[in-house]
Each structure stands twice: as structure tokens, then as C-alpha cells.
Amino acid sequence: MPTLFDPINFGAIASPNRILMAPLTRGRATRAAVPTEIMGEYYAQRAAAGLIVSEATGISREGLGWPFAPGLWTDEQVEGWKPVVAAVHQAGGRIVAQLWHMGRLVHDSVSGMQPVSASATRALAKAHTFDGKQNLPEARAATAEDISRILGDYAAAARNAIAAGFDGVQIHGANGYLIDQFLRDSSNLRDDEYGGPIANRLRFLREVVEAVSSEVGIERTGIRLSPIGESQGVNDSDNAALFTAAAAALEQLGVPWIELRESGSQSTFRAADEPPVSPAMRRVYSGKIVLNSDYIRDNAQARLEEGVADAISFGRPFIANPDLVDRFCADAPLNQPDRATFYSDGPAGYTDYPALTEQEAA
Ligand SMILES: Cc1cc2nc3c(=O)[nH]c(=O)nc-3n(C[C@H](O)[C@H](O)[C@H](O)COP(=O)(O)O)c2cc1C
């Protein structure tokens, strides 16, 4: 029976343990989406994670609406990432870039253009902008030209990630962003080959995987999905069938690992009310499955023993505990995260959470 401390491979990436750092937007880049020095310190502090998934990183101006989140579409952004990634490697860690197109959740005041989505719909959620939270405008439906350009943006960002030194990429297919907007039938109202039956709604996801993996290799390509009910305004009439088919498609494409944000009804981060789809996905997918949401040491170990999950990713516990792996090892108490500084500026609540003293870790 594997333990959290056993090694595992995610395609070409050899991970020394099964404790991953989940992707966490922290808003410490510049207004031009260029990573800053302090991000290197933050990620290096967490380098004992088996694998770090970076905060969501925009593939284009069109696709990035979160203020002060980083990007991977300009040379300056690539240069900004280099010392951040190098700091993680220097500290003995591994890091993949989470590639992000937010689709209809991008506010036009941030991108300077009308958002694009599977269909002309408007998300009811409020968008974070440089001027506080605002209502979102209606998105326009992507044309065939838009789709082909966006696939090119994914490919370029993946290439840039490798140029910046990342060990691979994770495609952000979760949480109601562009790929999820194509997957789910509440936001995908298309009647062309990208809409209608599940096989068609999976087309965009497949094409993104192909575009990205043709640049970096399928062995350096992972994906995150949220096979749950409603997520930031998208939902599906049959999430179980949709996400089981998605897992089968990822099996066919040879994607070596998938991370699932599978919150339950008691979740403290966007609770969901549908039964988990991961057991059905496990039956059709032979790669590594990483489960996420609301785990600490003991329930994570229990999940590994049930046989669905190969590894577990931790979000908020890693915000507050740079040395989470040591703390799990020593069964030491955890620092609690401070929500007020999740998206604030500077080191407070970012790089100043205390690690265990040597005595405590012993
Ligand atoms: C501050 C914050 C930022 C987040 N940013 C991202 C992100 O950039 N990409 C993503 O896929 N999920 C993001 N999430 C979701 C987390 O990866 C994770 O799914 C969630 O925190 C639940 O896991 P946990 O209980 O281990 O924290 C974020 C969550 C939080 C709290």
C-alpha cells in the first residue's frame, strides 16, 4: 500500500513523494503579469512538495483577467519566471506551469476586450479587477478562427514554460474557466462540432492537449479538471457521464496524470453536492490520479489506500505551511491560513509563515 511519502512518476517527472502543492493564485506578479522576485522565495520555501503546480498563469492577454496574476505570453514574463523556477530547482524541487484561459470570466477592464467563450453567455459571478469586484459583460462565442488562435496561444505558452525552465505544464481545465465552459452544457450551447453531444464538447479539450503536447511532449503534459456540480457558473446535466468520457479521452491521448478538484458537500472551498465521479474515471484511466480539496495528512493517506488516488494535492495547507511535508512526517500541528492575505501584496501571509524549528521537526 503506497504512503504519502513514497515516490511516484508523473510522466517524465520523478516525484520523491505523493504530497503535491495545488495551484494557488496569489496575485504577486506585476500589472503586466510579470513574475516578481518574491515569488521565487515563496515557491522555493515549498520545494519539498513532490511537485509544485504553479498558480494559474495566463496564456494571453485575452485569457487573463485576474489582477496581478502572472502570464507566459511575453518575453518579459518568460524572463521573470526564469529565476522563480531556478529557485525551486536550486532548493531541490520540481514545478509545472498551470496554463490558464479564463474565457468568459475575464473582465474587459483587465483585458481591454470583450471576453470569449464557447457561446455568447454571461457568467453571473463577480470578476476580480484592478478596481475591485465587478459584474462581468456578456462573452462572445468563439469563431473557428478564434479557436485556432487560442490553440496557438496554448502551444506558445507551453513552449514558453519550457523556455522558462519549468519541468512541464498542467492545462487548467477546471473551475468554470474556458475549457470547462466548452465541456459543460450550461455554457456550451454550440451546434457545430464543438457543441451538442459529449464527444463534441470534448473536442476543444482534446485539441488543447494536442496543441500543448506537440510542443512539450505528452510526458510533460498534465491536466486539472473539476468533475463536480456547479463551478463558477458552469454545470452539466450529466457530470458523471461527461467527466468519465473526459477521462477516457485523456487515456486515449496518453496524458500521464490528471488532478481532480473534487470538493464534497462539506468542503470549505466551493462545496459541491454531487457524488464523486473519480471512481468511474479511475476505471477508464490508467495514468496517475491526484485528488484535491480539503485534505490533511490522515484523510489523504486513507484516500491513497482506497485505490482511486495515486497522490494528493494540498492548497490552503501549503499556503500556511511552507514545510508541509516535514509537518506531515512529524505529525506536527499545522499553521492556519489567513484569508485576508490570499491575494494581497508583499510578504505578509506569503513568505512569512513559520517553519517548524529543528527541535519540533525531530
Ligand atoms: C487562494 C486560492 C487560490 C487558488 N488558485 C487556484 C488556481 O490558480 N488554479 C486552480 O486550479 N485552483 C486554484 N485554487 C483552488 C485550489 O487549488 C484548491 O483546489 C482548493 O484550495 C481546495 O484545496 P485545499 O482544501 O487543499 O485548499 C485556489 C484556491 C485558493 C484558496
Side-chain angles (χ1 to χ4, degrees):
M1 201 56 82
T3 80
L4 287 169
F5 306 101
D6 288 335
I8 185 170
N9 287 346
F10 299 106
I13 302 168
S15 166
N17 61 53
R18 294 165 187 238
I19 301 165
L20 277 69
M21 179 170 163
L24 293 158
T25 293
R26 305 302 310 277
R28 262 73 173 185
T30 69
R31 211 176 162 105
V34 177
T36 55
E37 205 180 324
I38 196 170
M39 290 166 60
E41 185 186 343
Y42 162 79
Y43 282 115
Q45 286 175 344
R46 289 153 180 79
L51 178 62
I52 295 172
V53 181
S54 82
E55 62 206 279
T57 299
I59 62 164
S60 60
R61 181 68 281 169
E62 173 194 79
L64 184 61
W66 197 285
F68 304 107
L72 262 172
W73 73 87
T74 70
D75 290 345
E76 203 191 351
Q77 292 160 357
V78 175
E79 290 309 310
W81 272 116
K82 281 182 182 170
V84 176
V85 175
V88 172
H89 289 158
Q90 191 87 40
R94 296 137 300 276
I95 181 168
V96 295
Q98 191 187 44
L99 302 183
W100 201 23
H101 192 305
M102 296 170 62
R104 68 179 188 169
L105 293 173
V106 178
H107 196 269
D108 52 345
S109 72
V110 179
S111 66
M113 62 191 97
Q114 187 185 7
V116 68
S117 185
S119 299
T121 59
R122 192 167 77 83
L124 294 177
K126 293 233 189 237
H128 290 253
T129 75
F130 289 110
D131 307 307
K133 287 194 177 182
Q134 296 194 49
N135 288 328
L136 282 154
E138 180 167 292
R140 62 187 183 81
T143 62
E145 292 72 36
D146 287 321
I147 290 177
S148 125
R149 178 181 47 74
I150 292 168
L151 293 173
D153 291 341
Y154 271 105
R159 198 163 56 235
N160 285 343
I162 298 301
F166 280 100
D167 299 291
V169 299
Q170 182 193 62
I171 297 163
H172 193 345
N175 301 355
Y177 296 112
L178 184 64
I179 294 174
D180 219 5
Q181 292 160 28
F182 269 88
L183 288 176
R184 313 252 206 156
D185 61 11
S186 77
S187 48
N188 184 339
L189 314 173
R190 301 174 75 98
D191 55 11
D192 64 0
E193 70 271 27
Y194 290 94
I198 286 176
N200 282 2
R201 283 184 277 121
L202 286 172
R203 188 179 308 275
F204 182 64
L205 167 78
R206 281 177 171 281
E207 290 181 351
V208 172
V209 170
E210 284 164 356
V212 164
S213 62
S214 69
E215 289 296 333
V216 307
I218 197 76
E219 70 284 0
R220 295 196 182 275
T221 304
I223 188 161
R224 179 177 236 225
L225 298 171
S226 43
I228 50 174
E230 191 277 333
S231 186
Q232 294 203 90
V234 306
N235 206 346
D236 200 85
S237 52
D238 193 346
N239 284 298
L242 171 64
F243 285 102
T244 307
L250 296 169
E251 170 77 10
Q252 197 193 25
L253 288 160
V255 174
W257 67 286
I258 60 183
E259 185 195 10
L260 306 178
R261 186 178 74 75
E262 191 171 56
S263 43
S265 57
Q266 304 302 313
S267 178
T268 50
F269 182 85
R270 298 186 187 144
D273 52 5
E274 293 198 25
V277 186
S278 58
M281 296 174 79
R282 172 79 290 170
R283 285 194 282 278
V284 298
Y285 177 75
S286 64
K288 304 295 177 2
I289 293 184
V290 181
L291 286 186
N292 168 255
S293 207
D294 301 279
Y295 288 103
I296 50 171
R297 188 181 102 135
D298 291 347
N299 61 354
Q301 182 57 44
R303 283 318 295 267
L304 289 193
E305 290 168 14
E306 284 165 18
V308 170
D310 298 292
I312 304 290
S313 66
F314 301 85
R316 291 161 295 176
F318 256 117
I319 290 181
N321 299 276
D323 57 346
L324 189 66
V325 175
D326 285 347
R327 283 175 193 259
F328 281 173
C329 215
D331 204 6
L334 302 183
N335 303 320
Q336 291 310 307
D338 173 17
R339 292 174 63 97
T341 49
F342 278 179
Y343 309 116
S344 60
D345 194 14
Y350 191 55
T351 49
D352 63 353
Y353 283 104
L356 291 174
T357 61
E358 269 173 40
Q359 227 172 359
E360 288 167 325

